Amino acid sequence: MRKNLSTADKREREKQVVDLMIALYCRKKHHTAKEQLCPECLELRSYSHLRSDHCPFMESKTFCSNCRVHCYRPEMRERIREVMRFSGPRMLLHHPVMAVDHMICSIKEKKKLKGEQ
């Protein structure tokens, strides 16, 4: 599991999770080949990388869903939510270790944030 990852490592990890979720969504919803993305999903992937690269809170947060500031444009935020809703449960089948790690980290972060309020 995760132990004191550097900010750069956290950025890469977040990008990797989002990439896998978008790829799964695109493959199942848009019927693309395994290693390819449709133009719409490619745009979303690029946008998510841009947001992650410029996130000032990366050092103290785990995932965007746990962040207090949502920096995605409204239409992109809705698109990424749709991807997450679809791919999240399916990640247990396709990438079980990553999915369980993500769930554990999210639960810990939500408890931590709740305790700070």
Side-chain angles (χ1 to χ4, degrees), residues 1-10 13 59:
M1 299 282 167
R2 257 166 243 245
K3 298 274 187 210
N4 300 327
L5 292 177
S6 73
T7 301
D9 290 339
K10 287 171 84 173
R13 181 102 171 176
E59 194 172 305

Side-chain angles (χ1 to χ4, degrees), residues 27-41:
R27 193 167 60 247
K28 300 292 184 179
K29 290 285 192 169
H30 302 146
H31 310 291
T32 55
K34 189 169 184 164
E35 298 297 321
Q36 297 195 347
L37 295 176
C38 70
E40 183 180 306
C41 290

Side-chain angles (χ1 to χ4, degrees), residues 62 65-66 105-115:
T62 51
S65 60
N66 295 334
C105 289
S106 291
I107 290 168
K108 284 180 180 179
E109 182 71 11
K110 285 178 184 175
K111 283 182 180 180
K112 180 180 151 195
L113 290 174
K114 192 174 183 179

Side-chain angles (χ1 to χ4, degrees), residues 2 13 16-18 20-21 63 91 95-103:
R2 257 166 243 245
R13 181 102 171 176
Q16 183 183 31
V17 171
V18 171
L20 289 170
M21 293 181 93
F63 301 105
M91 289 291 283
H95 303 282
V97 174
M98 186 177 282
V100 171
D101 183 46
H102 180 79
M103 286 189 303

Side-chain angles (χ1 to χ4, degrees), residues 30-72:
H30 302 146
H31 310 291
T32 55
K34 189 169 184 164
E35 298 297 321
Q36 297 195 347
L37 295 176
C38 70
E40 183 180 306
C41 290
L42 191 58
E43 177 190 21
L44 182 60
R45 179 182 176 268
S46 295
Y47 184 80
S48 70
H49 282 219
L50 181 69
R51 297 288 71 201
S52 184
D53 286 340
H54 292 92
C55 179
F57 304 107
M58 189 59 68
E59 194 172 305
S60 61
K61 73 172 179 98
T62 51
F63 301 105
C64 291
S65 60
N66 295 334
C67 191
R68 292 181 178 149
V69 176
H70 295 290
C71 60
Y72 277 54

